[in-house]
């Protein structure tokens, strides 16, 4: 399979999507941030000085999805119609799992937006908690699922570190 963002001369190039049909496109992504047990308790109890960690991380993830084209070279600016961020607190593993969702009707996919949303939500959790725990680890950032477009539906077979 040829790389789509390289032109015939081997130079980076933004893909021309003008001939692609408008279709409903959706993507879901995952990220995990692991931390000390005490840090997770602070998040759950909303007892950090910086405020409600998960509420701020949700807004940051949504904003990041909307700014993806400004952050990732060669991404198309997209008119997203939905961005969602959900959190699952796993006390047994002392982590927060982040699930992002992006949707639009357009000519290119929203995978990068979903991945960026999950990543920035995790970075925001790190930023808000670093005063009490600099040993946090952001890990397992990956695409869970995408639909729409020429390649159709994709769903990750393995959920890697997901506890279930």
């Amino acid at each position: 399979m040829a790389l789509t963002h390289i032109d015939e001369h081997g130079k980076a190039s933004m893909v021309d999507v003008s001939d692609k049909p408008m279709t409903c496109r959706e993507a879901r992504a995952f990220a995990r941030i692991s931390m000390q047990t005490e840090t997770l308790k602070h998040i759950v109890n909303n007892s950090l000085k910086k405020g409600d960690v998960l509420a701020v991380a949700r807004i940051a993830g949504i904003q990041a999805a909307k700014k993806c084209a400004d952050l990732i070279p060669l991404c198309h600016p997209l008119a997203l119609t939905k961005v969602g961020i959900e959190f699952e607190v796993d006390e047994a593993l002392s982590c927060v799992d982040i699930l992002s969702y992006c949707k639009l009707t357009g000519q290119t996919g929203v995978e990068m937006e979903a991945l960026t949303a999950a990543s920035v939500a995790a970075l925001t959790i790190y930023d808000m908690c670093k005063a009490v725990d600099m040993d946090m680890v952001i890990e397992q950032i990956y695409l869970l699922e995408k639909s729409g477009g020429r390649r159709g539906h994709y769903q990750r077979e393995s959920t890697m570190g997901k506890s279930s």
Side-chain angles (χ1 to χ4, degrees):
M1 176 182 278
L3 297 174
T4 58
H5 288 76
I6 305 294
D7 69 13
E8 62 275 4
H9 306 291
K11 295 180 182 172
S13 174
M14 184 181 230
V15 174
D16 182 357
V17 297
S18 58
D19 291 335
K20 288 184 170 186
M22 299 281 279
T23 61
C24 179
R25 294 160 184 266
E26 299 173 88
R28 295 179 190 332
F30 173 89
R32 171 175 285 169
I33 181 164
S34 300
M35 61 199 65
Q36 296 171 11
T37 305
E38 271 307 304
T39 307
L40 188 60
K41 286 180 185 174
H42 281 298
I43 291 171
V44 170
N45 295 330
N46 195 15
S47 60
L48 288 165
K49 289 182 183 180
K50 285 192 174 185
D52 186 336
V53 173
L54 298 183
V56 174
R58 178 174 284 112
I59 297 298
I62 292 167
Q63 285 297 104
K66 293 165 43 175
K67 291 292 195 177
C68 186
D70 294 335
L71 301 170
I72 309 292
L74 309 179
C75 277
H76 294 85
L78 301 178
L80 296 167
T81 57
K82 173 69 178 167
V83 179
I85 305 286
E86 297 299 324
F87 302 101
E88 294 178 5
V89 173
D90 188 327
E91 292 180 13
L93 295 175
S94 194
C95 66
V96 177
D97 289 345
I98 301 153
L99 303 154
S100 67
Y101 170 77
C102 293
K103 181 180 179 180
L104 62 69
T105 299
Q107 295 169 294
T108 189
V110 292
E111 298 93 329
M112 292 310 301
E113 288 70 16
L115 287 161
T116 300
S119 300
V120 170
L123 288 167
T124 301
I125 292 169
Y126 187 97
D127 180 55
M128 293 189 72
C129 297
K130 69 181 184 257
V132 296
D133 184 359
M134 294 194 76
D135 290 328
M136 290 175 286
V137 176
I138 297 169
E139 55 191 346
Q140 298 184 31
I141 299 168
Y142 56 86
L143 183 67
L144 287 167
E145 183 176 14
K146 78 94 174 166
S147 63
R150 180 177 45 90
R151 289 184 287 171
H153 187 256
Y154 163 83
Q155 186 165 6
R156 186 178 193 89
E157 290 182 31
S158 165
T159 54
M160 292 177 71
K162 289 283 292 167
S163 59
S164 37

